Amino acid sequence: MAPAQELPPETEAEPLGDAADKSRVTVVGSGNWGSVAAKLIASNTLRLPSFHDEVRMWVFEEILPSGEKLTDVINSTNENVKYLPGIKLGNNVVADPDLENAVKDANMLVFVTPHQFMEGICKRLVGKVKEGMEAISLIKGMEVKMEGPCMISSLISEQLGINCCVLMGANIANEIAVEKFSEATVGYRENRDIAEKWVQLFSTSYFMVSPVQDVEGVELCGTLKNVVAIAAGFVDGLEMGNNTKAAIMRIGLREMKAFSKLLFPSVKDTTFFESCGVADLITTCLGGRNRKVAEAFAKNGGKRSFDELEAEMLQGQKLQGVSTARELYEVLSHRGWLELFPLFATVHEISTGRLPPSAIVEYNR
């Protein structure tokens, strides 16, 4: 395992006293959105006295075509040249390839990795996080277990024994990276003060964050909209037009709301009108990676797999919509709900080749 990056000299000697009360933040993940999250957070830890300046960012180590390690390049250039090229993260961001070392001093963890990796990451962190740790998940997806679906925030809370909020919203990472105005929603359970601390940590003049007491609602919006975006991509690939796409988005929002409330009756109707709901659905169906790859899938008549297209088009980034559609289909099938959610079911059946892309508008609505 590669040694952790040494702290720059100016951060080695923290003054005693108030420093002990300052929060230390680690970002677990360093892809496109993870790098943008680190940039947002790092700009705030420098100016807010309640946080240590340094932000650790755990990086899954990769060797670049140049032969250099990704962590070394991030630390020498202050830039994630693979996943967020051309954007400076902040001199106080330190990339660390050692997961346990990256989290050992933190008392606030920001999880932002593809959802399919989270169970393994949590297992590695059991017993390695500080008591009283607070976490937030920016991850869109769910784990499906024998006993039913498990949201990623619940997985984190249960495996690590810590409270976990969520942050979701209309957040295409490359637009936030260049500081175009955007919004997001923090979902929290009971402690409004913790939610406000996360709001403070993420908010900037161009990134407006609002708290909502509805973790499941916020998280399910962020998860399910990727499935609808796959459907929107099919429509684009088949050149069906804007009316059809709008209809698919409306039907998708209806199914998102119905599924969320069936699974968690506590989910609030108003959550779907926050940034995490209708706004995130719109932006993902217009410009996200799930829509983009689904469009290519439909243009090829479903003859090239999503795995092949993902590898070709996303430079190492991962699709969430296809795996979420599969997990969703398992839940719907197990509970006898397939007929209640025809759009969700059809997306999975097209993605796996059981139906042609044109079936996106042929199911019984």
Side-chain angles (χ1 to χ4, degrees):
M1 188 173 285
Q5 173 80 11
E6 288 187 6
L7 295 182
E10 65 269 21
T11 63
E12 285 180 349
E14 283 283 358
L16 298 174
D18 289 346
D21 300 323
K22 291 186 176 186
S23 296
R24 287 188 181 271
V25 184
T26 291
V27 178
V28 179
S30 58
N32 188 234
W33 185 209
S35 298
V36 174
K39 176 183 186 287
L40 288 167
I41 291 165
S43 70
N44 284 326
T45 59
L46 285 176
R47 68 178 186 82
L48 295 170
S50 55
F51 295 94
H52 282 279
D53 288 354
E54 182 190 283
V55 176
R56 286 259 160 183
M57 180 173 74
W58 174 63
V59 176
F60 180 80
E61 191 66 280
E62 299 180 53
I63 304 300
L64 298 172
S66 63
E68 298 171 284
K69 292 178 178 177
L70 180 57
T71 47
D72 291 343
V73 175
I74 292 172
N75 287 328
S76 63
T77 67
N78 192 229
E79 186 179 320
N80 189 333
V81 294
K82 179 165 184 182
Y83 295 110
L84 194 66
I87 302 294
K88 296 299 181 185
L89 301 181
N91 291 325
N92 53 325
V93 175
V94 177
D96 191 336
D98 183 331
L99 178 60
E100 292 177 20
N101 190 69
V103 307
K104 69 181 171 77
D105 295 323
N107 49 13
M108 297 182 79
L109 288 184
V110 179
F111 288 95
V112 53
T113 69
H115 79 275
Q116 53 266 45
F117 301 148
M118 271 308 296
E119 190 155 23
I121 287 170
C122 285
K123 283 178 179 172
R124 290 172 63 187
L125 291 179
V126 171
K128 305 288 171 40
V129 298
K130 281 187 169 183
E131 191 175 343
M133 173 78 78
E134 290 290 336
I136 194 165
S137 171
L138 281 58
I139 299 164
K140 289 148 181 174
M142 66 175 83
E143 290 280 325
V144 176
K145 302 178 181 296
M146 289 296 292
E147 60 272 23
C150 176
M151 304 311 298
I152 298 300
S153 64
S154 299
L155 180 76
I156 293 165
S157 291
E158 290 164 12
Q159 293 214 3
L160 301 183
I162 59 179
N163 182 51
C164 187
C165 297
V166 296
L167 183 145
M168 307 281 158
N171 304 147
I172 291 177
N174 288 335
E175 295 182 12
I176 301 167
V178 294
E179 304 187 2
K180 293 181 178 178
F181 179 76
S182 182
E183 297 179 306
T185 310
V186 164
Y188 69 98
R189 295 193 188 284
E190 295 164 6
N191 191 331
R192 174 83 183 208
D193 290 342
I194 292 298
E196 293 291 357
K197 193 166 185 178
W198 288 118
V199 168
Q200 190 181 36
L201 188 62
F202 279 93
S203 294
T204 68
S205 60
Y206 59 90
F207 194 67
M208 185 181 293
V209 187
S210 304
V212 171
Q213 193 173 8
D214 184 7
V215 168
E216 286 80 14
V218 172
E219 191 168 9
L220 276 164
C221 280
T223 296
L224 298 174
K225 56 92 188 190
N226 283 328
V227 180
V228 185
I230 297 286
F234 294 154
V235 168
D236 286 346
L238 296 169
E239 299 182 355
M240 290 178 169
N242 292 329
N243 293 342
T244 306
K245 191 169 179 178
I248 289 295
M249 290 165 67
R250 184 198 68 80
I251 294 161
L253 181 61
R254 183 182 70 190
E255 291 195 8
M256 285 169 56
K257 182 180 174 186
F259 179 81
S260 299
K261 292 178 79 71
L262 267 178
L263 212 55
F264 298 103
S266 63
V267 167
K268 299 174 180 176
D269 288 348
T270 52
T271 299
F272 295 88
F273 296 98
E274 298 288 342
S275 178
C276 63
V278 66
D280 195 8
L281 177 67
I282 291 168
T283 198
T284 309
C285 289
L286 295 181
R289 74 184 74 152
N290 291 281
R291 187 219 63 81
K292 175 183 174 182
V293 179
E295 179 182 28
F297 180 89
K299 280 183 174 176
N300 283 281
K303 292 181 175 64
R304 297 183 67 195
S305 72
F306 271 102
D307 286 344
E308 184 184 351
L309 292 166
E310 175 189 83
E312 180 182 296
M313 299 174 69
L314 298 186
Q315 288 82 48
Q317 292 179 280
K318 293 293 181 186
L319 280 180
Q320 300 296 302
V322 175
S323 54
T324 301
R326 182 185 66 247
E327 292 153 355
L328 192 52
Y329 194 89
E330 287 181 40
V331 176
L332 298 179
S333 181
H334 179 71
R335 301 199 175 196
W337 291 349
L338 281 172
E339 290 187 2
L340 299 176
F341 299 94
L343 182 67
F344 286 164
T346 301
V347 167
H348 175 67
E349 288 168 353
I350 294 171
S351 300
T352 53
R354 290 185 214 165
L355 291 174
S358 59
I360 199 62
V361 292
E362 292 168 3
Y363 64 87
N364 180 13
R365 292 173 293 284

